[in-house]
Amino acid sequence: MRKTPLVMRISKLLLTAVCFSAFSCAEKQLQQNDFISDLMSKMTLKEKLGQLNQQVAGEINTGSPQNTECGKAITAGEIGSVFNVIGVDKIKDLKTVAVENSRLKIPLLVGMDVVHGYQTIFPLPLGLSCTWDIEKIEKSAAIAAKESAANGIAWTFSPMVDISLDARWGRQAEGAGEDPFLGSEIAKAMVRGYQGTDLKADDKILACVKHFALYGAAESGLDYNTVDMSHLRMFNQYFDPYKAAVEAGVGSVMSSFNIVDGIPATANKWLLTDVLRKRWGFQGMVVTDYASIAEMQTHGLGELKENSVRALKAGTDMDMVTRGFLSTLETALNEGLISEDDINKACRRVLEAKQKLGLFDNPYKYCDGKIPVSVTYCAEHKAFAKELTEESFVLLKNENNILPLKKQGTIALIGPLVEARSDMAGTWSVAQDFSKYSTLKEAFEKYLNGSATVLTAQGCNLLDNEKTQNSIQKGHGTEPILRVDDEKALKEAVDIAKKSNVIICALGECAWMSGEGTSRSDLELPRPQKALLNELLKLKKPLVLLNFAGRATVLTKESKTVPAIMNVWFGSEIGAALCSVLCGEKSPSGKLTVSMPKSVGQLPLYYNTLISGRPVQDDNPEYIIFNSDYQDVSNGALYPFGFGMSYTKFEYSDITLSKTAVSESESLTAKVTVKNAGDYDGDEIVQLYIRDIYASICRPVKELKGFKRISLKKGESAEVEFEITPDLLKFYNYDLDFVLEKGEFEVMIGGNSREVKREKFEVK
Ligand code: BGC
């Protein structure tokens, strides 16, 4: 008998194994579907509609949730999901009602806005994006998932991936900034971090990419405002991060509040079915945003029943808060406005999400102690959050190298944020416990431990308008920053500043000056803070401005007058992280992911613009008549996308390309040598941009297509190589086909979007 060669035997074995596992996967899927089909065959119409209904649980007193409104509705099978309940005992009680009191014992799906951490709070998502550190961002999501899982949460409404070009929109804080390429990498990392490879694992939770779609493009940066955009722009500039999350296997999608093509996203079939499901192949569950079915009436689209029908038929599966599905769809069915199949499809997707999480196997999953509550804000998570927070700071200016500081003499710590403990975590920190977080004052005193004297003063009010400040702070449950007598507070600040060798000002936005419903039309420092800063500058002492922000703010005046400026983005460990960076244990390494404007009048502002027929260079000093130019401000950002300084400095060599001409299916590489030519060790984020010089539609001046974060000891050099694949050169053409068009391309590599080395190649 002839022997089969070893290779063939191995490949045969492998083939059998692959077939077997494909077969067993398909079989498992079938069994799972059988399980859901069987369950659905027992469900009444009301019970099916109940699964599509999501509610806030309201006040839950541990021990007797069955007597609450929510408990009664769960018993009646009228609720499929609740959200934003804090505390594993309360959640377990609610789950018990579902398992013990409801007819079919369908487990409850419990969600929460775990946006940048559960109780260990990482920098705001915008700050996280400034790290450009994909591995660590993934790990932050994994930690958030673990802490959530320990505390009863199965589902997070994150990642938020809305591209935002207009910093007046306060929700810029919740996303990854203005770039679709970076945004997509971060979207995928977050989904991987939350969901892992097996949603049934005890420490993994369901992710929800939001807000689909284009929420960040609200006109004039006004939250919830209209969006009107060409499909070309949607596909080429805005859609990628949502699509990337879908490709990474995100289990759920939240539709957005805004109008798209004249129809709210909540009921936009083109978005939710044609693009999301048919074009991208999404198979998970779609939930609305908060009360958005009801809000369609305010948009002027009829009444609750009509809008519930529209939302369901467009592809919505779960109704957040409105009760529109629960209260109107039975009548709509009887009137022939929808079919039972429409309801079944949505119900199946909700049940499948529960099944994927393993909730039918263990309805008490996330409340069964398998992940101990003690992981919450544990030392390991805190240490990691500190590290990531350090990476997020963006140093914008450091005149005469006044940073890093020496740990000696007297340091004046001044500003409304110096003792604002409850603001430190930043916006959307639903489960934070701020009693555990340090104020900046405490962090500095602990860190310096007597090696330098720390003097502190509030110095001014946060805002002039007390009423606005109250609604911002009390409305969100943060402890109000004290109202002070401006003159007296200023005098105190100047007095301690005079006694000090260096002044650190903690100014800018408090936690809820960014986030939902926080649009601002003036992005400069609030007036009383500016007045304080001006007085302190008169002392001509070394002064560092820590600009607390949840968006790109306007620091034009400060960029001229303040010696050192660093953007910081909140987080539970911000105090400790600031100490180590300001004192030089680590060099700052964050880079902006939003362009910081010179004036709010430039908004929307972004680096990857199309090019007008009469372009004017960034920072061109003289106004040029009949050109694309402002009369009162030069073009371009004050600090461009990708910009951020270090205590050390990096030098870039010219670019070497592996080829100067390639075919449509070939890749090439672009290489530079980066040298740490300064006096400190440091990290650099090397960025690759590409421009398609001539194409069938107008293409941007440059687009980010790669980046690498590297660590270099002082004096050290490294070669950084990027592979340029054909896919990186493609775009959506006029027919919305994803194509590569032959011709010349420009490659740019540098440490920010403005200062780049350039080369060209051709696709033949
Ligand atoms: C926000 C969402 C959030 C939801 C639930 C809405 O107001 O837009 O981002 O997930 O509330 O809290």
Side-chain angles (χ1 to χ4, degrees):
M1 201 175 75
R2 248 176 60 199
K3 277 199 171 168
T4 333
L6 185 66
V7 194
M8 273 178 72
R9 272 183 285 154
I10 293 178
S11 30
K12 232 174 155 182
L13 255 171
L14 277 175
L15 194 70
T16 324
V18 169
C19 287
F20 181 75
S21 82
F23 174 72
S24 56
C25 270
E27 196 182 39
K28 216 167 160 192
Q29 184 75 34
L30 215 62
Q31 279 171 1
Q32 290 182 345
N33 290 345
D34 278 355
F35 171 81
I36 304 262
S37 304
D38 187 44
L39 176 59
M40 284 178 61
S41 71
K42 296 180 194 136
M43 292 170 81
T44 62
L45 182 71
K46 200 79 190 172
E47 282 166 337
K48 288 179 185 168
L49 294 177
Q51 287 304 306
L52 315 189
N53 180 32
Q54 185 185 47
Q55 292 296 313
V56 265
E59 267 310 297
I60 303 292
N61 294 321
T62 320
S64 55
Q66 64 273 22
N67 300 327
T68 63
E69 279 306 303
C70 179
K72 287 180 199 157
I74 295 172
T75 303
E78 290 178 354
I79 292 189
S81 170
V82 295
F83 67 106
N84 288 357
V85 184
I86 304 173
V88 68
D89 294 340
K90 289 180 186 174
I91 294 174
K92 191 167 186 180
D93 280 355
L94 286 172
K95 287 191 166 208
T96 309
V97 179
V99 174
E100 291 185 4
N101 297 11
S102 76
R103 193 179 75 91
L104 289 171
K105 309 183 184 322
I106 298 175
L108 206 57
L109 179 60
V110 183
M112 183 182 275
D113 290 279
V114 181
V115 171
H116 51 121
Y118 182 83
Q119 201 179 92
T120 303
I121 308 284
F122 300 98
L124 299 176
L126 182 63
L128 271 181
S129 72
C130 293
T131 68
W132 302 54
D133 194 331
I134 299 302
E135 256 175 55
K136 287 195 183 146
I137 292 174
E138 178 175 336
K139 187 166 169 192
S140 78
I143 287 177
K146 193 169 188 176
E147 290 194 8
S148 302
N151 286 281
I153 304 301
W155 183 21
T156 175
F157 307 133
S158 170
M160 189 280 223
V161 304
D162 303 318
I163 296 287
S164 158
L165 315 180
D166 190 332
R168 288 173 296 181
W169 191 58
R171 300 198 82 169
Q172 193 171 72
E174 295 173 56
E178 71 192 39
D179 185 72
F181 183 87
L182 177 63
S184 299
E185 293 303 305
I186 292 178
K188 289 187 273 182
M190 301 281 288
V191 172
R192 289 194 301 265
Y194 290 133
Q195 296 193 163
T197 47
D198 179 11
L199 267 175
K200 286 207 163 91
D202 292 315
D203 60 351
K204 291 299 165 196
I205 61 174
L206 193 72
C208 180
V209 65
K210 70 186 187 186
H211 308 82
F212 190 60
L214 317 174
Y215 184 30
E219 277 181 6
S220 46
L222 185 62
D223 207 1
Y224 318 116
N225 208 7
T226 301
V227 171
D228 199 356
M229 187 187 289
S230 72
H231 285 196
L232 257 188
R233 191 170 195 193
M234 292 180 195
F235 276 88
N236 280 314
Q237 200 177 0
Y238 280 80
F239 274 175
D240 273 0
Y242 307 108
K243 180 167 174 272
V246 170
E247 283 167 1
V250 72
S252 66
V253 170
M254 186 186 291
S255 53
S256 54
F257 285 123
N258 53 280
I259 293 168
V260 174
D261 289 335
I263 298 172
T266 317
N268 195 310
K269 179 177 166 295
W270 177 76
L271 269 182
L272 302 185
T273 299
D274 298 351
V275 176
L276 182 65
R277 294 196 188 279
K278 294 193 181 149
R279 195 168 175 135
W280 296 346
F282 177 66
Q283 293 187 345
M285 169 176 74
V286 173
V287 61
T288 70
D289 203 346
Y290 199 104
S292 63
I293 294 183
E295 287 177 13
M296 282 163 64
Q297 186 164 359
T298 322
H299 277 294
L301 284 185
E303 299 195 342
L304 190 60
K305 183 179 69 186
E306 208 173 333
N307 293 328
S308 301
V309 167
R310 285 173 197 261
L312 182 78
K313 287 193 92 65
T316 303
D317 303 313
M318 189 178 274
D319 164 9
M320 187 188 279
V321 166
T322 300
R323 286 178 187 270
F325 280 4
L326 186 70
S327 64
T328 69
L329 288 187
E330 190 169 354
T331 318
L333 179 68
N334 294 336
E335 289 170 355
L337 299 173
I338 53 168
S339 68
E340 199 155 352
D341 191 44
D342 294 328
I343 296 173
N344 283 343
K345 270 192 200 141
C347 180
R348 180 176 288 278
R349 289 185 195 126
V350 173
L351 296 174
E352 274 172 0
K354 296 184 177 186
Q355 189 181 38
K356 279 183 216 154
L357 287 162
L359 290 173
F360 286 108
D361 307 328
N362 174 11
Y364 292 105
K365 188 182 171 201
Y366 306 113
C367 296
D368 56 7
K370 287 205 178 135
I371 305 292
V373 178
S374 58
V375 303
T376 316
Y377 198 54
C378 62
E380 188 192 332
H381 293 179
K382 266 172 75 168
F384 180 71
K386 174 177 169 259
E387 200 180 316
L388 202 47
T389 311
E390 289 163 351
E391 282 189 16
S392 71
F393 300 145
V394 182
L395 183 65
L396 299 173
K397 188 178 174 190
N398 191 18
E399 200 172 74
N400 302 326
N401 295 328
I402 68 166
L403 288 174
L405 301 177
K406 297 198 178 63
K407 290 195 230 171
Q408 63 188 43
T410 302
I411 297 175
L413 200 52
I414 298 174
L417 288 151
V418 169
E419 294 202 62
R421 188 189 310 282
S422 66
D423 284 278
M424 288 300 100
T427 190
W428 275 121
S429 308
V430 176
Q432 67 164 311
D433 181 352
F434 56 74
S435 69
K436 295 180 181 165
Y437 312 148
S438 304
T439 62
L440 298 185
K441 177 178 187 223
E442 288 163 353
F444 275 80
E445 283 171 349
K446 183 169 172 210
Y447 181 81
L448 292 167
N449 192 23
S451 58
T453 309
V454 182
L455 301 176
T456 58
Q458 181 171 325
C460 67
N461 281 308
L462 176 76
L463 301 174
D464 271 327
N465 191 321
E466 186 173 354
K467 275 198 184 149
T468 310
Q469 184 184 329
N470 276 343
S471 65
I472 288 172
Q473 295 212 282
K474 288 190 185 149
H476 289 291
T478 49
E479 285 170 347
I481 292 171
L482 289 183
R483 292 301 297 179
V484 289
D485 177 273
D486 269 327
E487 246 176 71
K488 215 169 129 213
L490 181 65
K491 188 176 171 314
E492 273 166 22
V494 172
D495 283 349
I496 66 155
K498 279 184 181 158
K499 293 184 203 143
S500 306
N501 305 93
V502 58
I503 306 165
I504 302 175
C505 289
L507 304 179
E509 298 186 322
C510 68
W512 274 95
M513 281 170 76
S514 63
E516 187 172 356
T518 62
S519 298
R520 294 175 61 201
S521 71
D522 176 356
L523 297 179
E524 296 189 14
L525 286 174
R527 194 215 54 88
Q529 301 191 32
K530 238 192 285 185
L532 167 70
L533 186 61
N534 288 340
E535 285 307 310
L536 295 173
L537 284 168
K538 285 182 190 160
L539 302 177
K540 305 258 180 262
K541 296 208 172 190
L543 188 151
V544 183
L545 167 61
L546 301 177
N547 181 42
F548 278 77
R551 60 176 100 215
T553 51
V554 176
L555 296 177
T556 307
K557 291 181 194 116
E558 293 75 14
S559 72
K560 292 176 191 132
T561 56
V562 179
I565 308 176
M566 192 159 78
N567 264 9
V568 301
W569 320 95
F570 302 88
S572 58
E573 306 319 299
I574 188 164
L578 273 172
C579 291
S580 71
V581 171
L582 290 175
C583 294
E585 262 179 65
K586 289 248 175 91
S587 198
S589 59
K591 302 255 189 181
L592 292 174
T593 57
V594 278
S595 306
M596 287 182 67
K598 293 169 186 149
S599 149
V600 81
Q602 292 177 290
L603 296 175
L605 182 72
Y606 49 100
Y607 81 95
N608 48 350
T609 57
L610 301 181
I611 313 160
S612 83
R614 299 180 185 188
V616 172
Q617 291 257 308
D618 283 2
D619 291 337
N620 193 54
E622 300 284 317
Y623 157 67
I624 311 179
I625 191 169
F626 292 124
N627 270 271
S628 232
D629 204 7
Y630 292 106
Q631 293 188 336
D632 52 357
V633 65
S634 61
N635 283 352
L638 176 68
Y639 297 112
F641 176 85
F643 178 82
M645 295 168 64
S646 166
Y647 295 152
T648 191
K649 64 174 190 285
F650 297 99
E651 285 171 2
Y652 282 70
S653 73
D654 288 336
I655 301 173
T656 316
L657 295 178
S658 61
K659 293 169 194 159
T660 49
V662 287
S663 72
E664 283 163 296
S665 56
E666 262 180 303
S667 297
L668 70 155
T669 59
K671 212 164 37 183
V672 289
T673 302
V674 182
K675 180 171 185 208
N676 179 345
D679 295 329
Y680 297 85
D681 299 345
D683 285 7
E684 169 69 333
I685 298 158
V686 184
Q687 301 156 43
L688 166 80
Y689 297 88
I690 295 181
R691 176 179 168 195
D692 187 348
I693 296 175
Y694 291 130
S696 59
I697 58 164
C698 297
R699 302 288 297 129
V701 63
K702 57 171 79 88
E703 290 176 301
L704 182 76
K705 291 294 175 183
F707 58 88
K708 285 193 178 149
R709 205 187 151 99
I710 55 168
S711 294
L712 291 178
K713 301 242 172 275
K714 67 175 172 180
E716 203 184 349
S717 296
E719 266 192 356
V720 180
E721 187 175 276
F722 293 99
E723 188 184 6
I724 302 176
T725 61
D727 260 3
L728 290 183
L729 309 177
K730 290 184 181 172
F731 62 93
Y732 293 91
N733 68 9
Y734 203 77
D735 298 320
L736 300 181
D737 295 324
F738 194 51
V739 297
L740 193 169
E741 290 180 0
K742 291 178 184 173
E744 240 189 337
F745 291 81
E746 190 173 24
V747 183
M748 290 154 268
I749 300 180
N752 65 67
S753 62
R754 196 175 280 168
E755 291 159 290
V756 289
K757 300 284 182 179
R758 295 168 189 269
E759 264 303 336
K760 278 187 186 159
F761 71 92
E762 201 180 343
V763 177
K764 286 195 168 158

